[in-house]
Amino acid sequence: MSYQVRRLATKDLFTMTKILSKISGDVREGLKDLQIRKIDQQLFGIIVVEAAMKHAESDMKHLLADLIGKKVEEFEQEPFDAPIAILDIVADQEDLKSFFTKAQGLTKKLFGK
């Protein structure tokens, strides 16, 4: 199924930050046993999505439903692979890597880390 996904907006940053704060412990735990310098991006994506669905289910449903212009109840009736399909579209249309690189740079400037 194909989805019309709106572009991310400033309001989504706050939702995504809330989700990431809920899952950061699980992501670190999932990565700690991996003794490789450059983690496989697919594996990292699986760890993040699994943690988000586990700890931020409501936030994820609201975000994904909003991205496709539906109510949560409508989104819950979408096919099984809808969350992955929507996230894939977001990844294609947004420059998330650049955003996170800039955010990391700002953190270093602010906190010297």
Side-chain angles (χ1 to χ4, degrees), residues 28-91:
R28 277 194 299 274
E29 184 68 25
L31 298 177
K32 79 175 188 179
D33 294 329
L34 297 175
Q35 300 297 321
I36 52 178
R37 290 193 183 275
K38 189 171 184 179
I39 185 167
D40 179 272
Q41 288 183 340
Q42 185 176 14
L43 176 59
F44 180 74
I46 291 168
I47 291 169
V48 170
V49 170
E50 186 248 343
M53 290 183 177
K54 179 178 175 184
H55 295 292
E57 177 183 347
S58 178
D59 296 317
M60 283 292 292
K61 286 180 181 178
H62 281 90
L63 175 63
L64 294 172
D66 190 53
L67 287 172
I68 61 171
K70 294 192 176 202
K71 294 180 180 179
V72 172
E73 296 77 21
E74 296 170 314
F75 171 73
E76 290 176 329
Q77 301 307 310
E78 292 294 316
F80 181 76
D81 64 344
I84 301 302
I86 295 165
L87 291 172
D88 189 51
I89 294 167
V90 169

